[in-house]
Amino acid sequence: MTKLVIDGKEVDVPAEFTLLQACEAAGAEIPRFCFHERLSIAGNCRMCLVELKGSPKPVASCAWGVRDCRPGPNGEPPVVNTRTPMVKKAREGVMEFLLINHPLDCPICDQGGECDLQDQAMAYGVDSSRYTENKRAVEDKYIGALVKTIMTRCIHCTRCIRFATEVAGVPELGAIGRGEDMEITTYLESAMTSELQGNVVDLCPVGALTSKPYAFAARPWELNKTESIDVMDAVGSAIRIDTRGREVMRILPRVNEAVNEEWISDKTRHVVDGLRSQRLDQPLIREGGRLRAASWSEAFAVIAERIKAATPGRIGAIAGDLATVEELFSLKDLMTRLGSKNIDARQDGAAIDPAMGRATYLFNATIAGIEQADALLIIGSNPRKEAAVLNARIRKRWRTGKFPIGLIGEKADLTYSYDHLGAGPETLAGLSEHEFGKTLKAAERPLLLIGAGALARKDGAGVAAIAANTALAVGAVKNDWNGFSVLHYAASRVGALDIGFVPGQGGFTAAEMAKAKALDVLVLLGADEIDIGPGAFVVYIGSHGDAGAHRADVVLSGAAYPEKSGIYVNTEGRVQLAGRAAFPPGDAREDWAILRALSNALGKTLPYDSLNALRKAVFAAYPHLSHIDQIEQADPSAIGVLAKTKTKTDRTGFVSPVDDFYFTNPIARASTVMAECSAIAEGAAAMTAAE
């Protein structure tokens, strides 16, 4: 630790701190435009000037290290002042320079009310300018469907460039020209292809980069803000949902160091228009091959008639990827009361058995634990498409150095370099003979990332056993480290496995239930990623008119994720609570309430009349789900049990189940913004292939 005197207050700070960090540790407020805690230091804007005793001029505190400060003549600690007239005058001068060319368009700027330049001009600027020359004008650039550019406002802080290069790993933004002619651009004005590009809007301290889909939609002070959880993947990113009236206007990230830091994917941020399109707002009954509107009581009567005529063994339920724990618990409870063991939440057919223990299906190393790993083996996964924010965390660890990465599966651009070891189970089984196997074994904290591409196969159980054997062989499972980590891509999956939403003894799996004439009645709880064969009477509970509703005989209109409060469990086993930001449209209802009303119509009434009562029942049955934002540690001995299972594997290579990042669920498929992003991504892929 190093001693400093900041504004007359003596503080001890680490020697690797910058002066800006030291000043903030002492409670001083330092303005900045270019500095950001998660990006490299640029020292462009000079707004963070402070007075360092002994220096002939103010110093940029973001670029000056604490260890570079010179002590006094008698060994006194370095003295830093942040509120002297010298500092005030220097900051006013910098602000005056920044505003020379900035246009006076605050009334029509989407950044208004959330603009760092506005706030700092008020706090540190002066009320007039001495410059009367014409302002510089810069032509706006096209950089894709998500980010709108008004480059005349740009102050060249280069945050967007550093983010694209360092965090996203897709260095498409850069600067051309020098001095007054400098411009930020993609050079050939092509669309950005990163799945994280929307974060540059949050980083931009002025209105140069704003959200294109949200342009001129609302002002920040008009919006109600609700803290929630993202369900577009299984990472469980912390988000804020902004609403006006009953309508969701935008989705922004919240800081959660353990999960998403402060980034979210573009699908998370811009899926908003999909919440308004193709919505189911009333019950529907199929008659003569067409769906017609009906009342709730009429729909329940039709379902009750069919279920009462069926035997328990001919009734089943499949849960989708966006279901909350409360809905899953209610549906499981109802099916149990009906005497059916045919329940499953694994639409993709993943070979995961929760009876073996939680350690066999969790990301045991945790997301933040990726930064502690010193070697990584990716098995049957494309983290960039399945969990873009988690992929950025892997890249963050890779950039610090000494982090060998191996991949078994299909080749892909993961934004970091890796060794492609092979395509399928044979490579995994023979890893001990490979050079990378020795690297893993020599590592202190090796990490094995097992994706759905390895588990959602007919031989998935065998692949899981080989992966468990490999983890034990390389020392990835020990007292203080569990590197056996399963990466899910469905938000509901871990919660469903935690409550045992899998077939009972002798029950059918999702794939078996989907076969033609396998069941008489099949209930789909937002299950749209599985093709249901002819024969069964299908009841669909969901929010969008997607594949499940097209196949259904009765549609019960449910709520989308911002329209209900619910518990989700992310891929690492972290219990998370999503808040309700809006209300379902029309006659649509929350899914647990639909199941409660349906149970009453079936004469199998569920014993909870409110969400609180339902949660009490969930917590009584599964106490760990009451520990919000905590991870219940799993017993690593389960991995040893998994390793002992004997099943065969075939020679087919691993393929990620996520082919199109932008179209993974009904909400995303209803979004025109996601459709445009998908088209751009396909065009970029085709161009790359042609090259």
Side-chain angles (χ1 to χ4, degrees):
M1 302 292 277
T2 304
K3 275 195 186 334
L4 289 176
V5 178
I6 299 174
D7 292 336
K9 179 180 176 182
E10 191 172 284
V11 294
D12 283 321
V13 295
E16 60 269 18
F17 265 28
T18 63
L19 268 189
L20 187 150
Q21 292 170 308
C23 291
E24 294 205 327
E29 184 177 317
I30 306 296
R32 84 291 297 268
F33 291 115
C34 68
F35 177 80
H36 192 278
E37 290 80 0
R38 303 187 200 280
L39 304 176
S40 61
I41 294 169
N44 293 338
C45 70
R46 321 308 284 181
M47 194 65 206
C48 63
L49 294 174
V50 296
E51 182 181 353
L52 178 63
K53 190 171 182 181
S55 173
K57 59 183 181 179
V59 300
S61 59
C62 73
W64 194 285
V66 166
R67 59 163 54 93
D68 298 325
C69 295
R70 186 185 304 168
N74 299 314
E76 303 95 337
V79 176
V80 181
N81 293 305
T82 68
R83 300 191 187 101
T84 60
M86 175 190 188
V87 174
K88 182 175 183 293
K89 184 178 180 183
R91 289 176 180 169
E92 287 175 354
V94 170
M95 182 59 69
E96 190 173 6
F97 274 120
L98 287 174
L99 294 177
I100 289 173
N101 287 311
H102 199 78
L104 299 174
D105 56 357
C106 293
I108 61 157
C109 178
D110 271 322
Q111 201 89 334
E114 301 172 311
C115 178
D116 290 345
L117 187 64
Q118 275 184 340
D119 297 340
Q120 293 184 42
M122 289 293 291
Y124 304 103
V126 291
D127 61 355
S128 60
S129 173
R130 289 170 288 176
Y131 290 88
T132 58
E133 290 83 356
N134 292 330
K135 291 181 180 287
R136 182 184 78 133
V138 181
E139 187 178 345
D140 295 340
K141 309 292 189 296
Y142 171 78
I143 60 173
L146 303 180
V147 182
K148 179 182 178 183
T149 62
I150 305 93
M151 300 314 292
T152 299
R153 300 172 186 161
C154 180
I155 62 169
H156 301 161
C157 71
T158 70
R159 278 187 182 182
C160 54
I161 297 174
R162 285 175 284 148
F163 172 84
T165 304
E166 297 164 13
V167 179
V170 187
E172 297 167 317
L173 281 175
I176 59 172
R178 294 175 63 83
E180 191 180 31
D181 296 324
M182 178 176 167
E183 298 181 21
I184 309 296
T185 177
T186 53
Y187 191 60
L188 296 176
E189 294 200 29
S190 57
M192 295 175 69
T193 57
S194 169
E195 295 81 8
L196 300 170
Q197 61 181 279
N199 291 290
V200 300
V201 173
D202 296 335
L203 288 171
C204 184
V206 296
L209 303 177
T210 56
S211 173
K212 191 176 283 188
Y214 178 70
F216 308 121
R219 288 297 195 182
W221 53 84
E222 302 173 339
L223 305 175
N224 293 316
K225 301 164 179 63
T226 306
E227 294 186 353
S228 192
I229 299 298
D230 172 46
V231 299
M232 294 295 112
D233 54 34
V235 173
S237 301
I239 59 172
R240 192 187 85 197
I241 302 174
D242 288 358
T243 56
R244 184 173 60 191
R246 298 175 64 95
E247 188 176 11
V248 175
M249 300 303 296
R250 66 176 178 177
I251 294 172
L252 297 175
R254 287 188 293 124
V255 176
N256 187 334
E257 298 293 348
V259 182
N260 61 305
E261 298 183 292
E262 61 185 83
W263 319 123
I264 55 174
S265 73
D266 294 334
K267 184 166 52 177
T268 300
R269 186 186 299 267
H270 291 294
V271 80
V272 172
D273 66 317
L275 294 166
R276 309 179 195 121
S277 304
Q278 300 180 23
R279 289 304 303 268
L280 301 172
D281 59 1
Q282 60 186 332
L284 304 168
I285 296 174
R286 191 175 297 278
E287 286 184 357
R290 299 180 66 121
L291 290 170
R292 67 164 179 84
S295 65
W296 283 102
S297 56
E298 187 181 2
F300 288 152
V302 172
I303 297 168
E305 181 184 349
R306 288 287 190 152
I307 288 180
K308 288 172 182 176
T311 59
R314 301 281 295 175
I315 301 171
I318 301 175
D321 294 347
L322 308 183
T324 66
V325 169
E326 294 92 339
E327 297 158 16
L328 294 163
F329 182 86
S330 301
L331 182 54
K332 182 187 177 185
D333 196 354
L334 177 58
M335 298 304 290
T336 302
R337 291 167 189 270
L338 291 172
S340 173
K341 297 180 180 179
N342 305 320
I343 59 172
D344 203 353
R346 302 164 301 180
Q347 292 184 87
D348 56 3
I352 298 170
D353 185 359
M356 284 191 174
R358 293 183 86 222
T360 62
Y361 61 83
L362 291 185
F363 199 93
N364 294 292
T366 72
I367 295 170
I370 291 171
E371 297 183 35
Q372 308 304 317
D374 46 12
L376 170 64
L377 175 63
I378 300 173
I379 306 166
S381 178
N382 182 340
R384 183 174 173 184
K385 288 187 176 180
E386 295 169 29
V389 173
L390 184 141
N391 193 65
R393 182 84 73 153
I394 295 173
R395 175 176 167 79
K396 179 182 179 183
R397 171 64 185 89
W398 172 78
R399 290 186 70 240
T400 63
K402 295 183 180 178
F403 190 53
I405 302 174
L407 172 69
I408 301 176
E410 58 183 343
K411 289 183 178 180
D413 178 9
L414 299 181
T415 72
Y416 40 81
S417 59
Y418 59 83
D419 294 325
H420 186 251
L421 310 179
E426 283 187 331
T427 305
L428 180 59
L431 191 66
S432 59
E433 300 170 9
H434 196 283
E435 190 63 35
F436 194 84
K438 297 172 186 174
T439 302
L440 274 179
K441 199 162 187 176
E444 188 179 339
R445 290 180 296 277
L447 173 59
L448 275 71
L449 188 156
I450 303 101
L455 300 177
R457 303 160 37 113
K458 290 182 180 179
D459 63 347
V463 174
I466 297 173
N469 265 306
T470 304
L472 295 172
V474 301
V477 182
K478 51 186 82 170
N479 291 334
D480 59 345
W481 175 258
N482 188 346
F484 183 86
S485 301
V486 178
L487 177 60
H488 297 278
Y489 65 92
S492 67
R493 186 63 53 82
V494 175
L497 295 171
D498 275 358
I499 68 167
F501 201 95
V502 292
Q505 188 69 35
F508 291 157
T509 64
E512 290 167 340
M513 285 187 266
K515 290 179 181 177
K517 300 181 181 179
L519 300 175
D520 291 334
V521 179
L522 178 58
V523 179
L524 302 179
L525 180 60
D528 295 274
E529 317 305 323
I530 187 167
D531 294 326
I532 308 300
F537 180 84
V538 177
V539 178
Y540 177 77
I541 304 172
S543 60
H544 282 70
D546 205 74
H550 292 168
R551 172 62 183 85
D553 296 289
V554 175
V555 174
L556 303 178
S557 49
Y561 74 97
E563 300 158 2
K564 57 190 175 187
S565 176
I567 292 170
Y568 292 92
V569 186
N570 78 345
T571 192
E572 60 183 348
R574 185 182 301 275
V575 182
Q576 299 176 298
L577 181 63
R580 183 175 68 183
F583 293 91
D587 281 341
R589 296 290 182 267
E590 292 181 50
D591 300 47
W592 77 265
I594 294 172
L595 291 165
R596 169 63 178 78
L598 178 59
S599 72
N600 194 44
L602 296 173
K604 306 287 184 182
T605 307
L606 298 175
Y608 20 82
D609 295 328
S610 67
L611 185 58
N612 284 337
L614 171 54
R615 281 193 180 142
K616 283 181 182 177
V618 173
F619 297 157
Y622 307 97
H624 76 279
L625 293 175
S626 64
H627 305 148
I628 303 300
D629 204 33
Q630 295 181 35
I631 301 174
E632 184 82 10
Q633 292 300 320
D635 183 1
S637 64
I639 297 167
V641 177
L642 175 62
K644 292 174 183 174
T645 57
K646 302 293 183 185
T647 50
K648 293 182 180 180
T649 58
D650 61 36
R651 301 167 65 93
T652 312
F654 301 134
V655 179
S656 172
V658 180
D659 181 45
D660 191 332
F661 169 77
Y662 298 101
F663 281 163
T664 55
N665 60 63
I667 303 174
R669 287 190 287 269
S671 167
T672 55
V673 176
M674 292 297 98
E676 188 173 355
C677 290
S678 176
I680 290 171
E682 280 186 18
M687 186 178 296
T688 304
E691 290 171 355

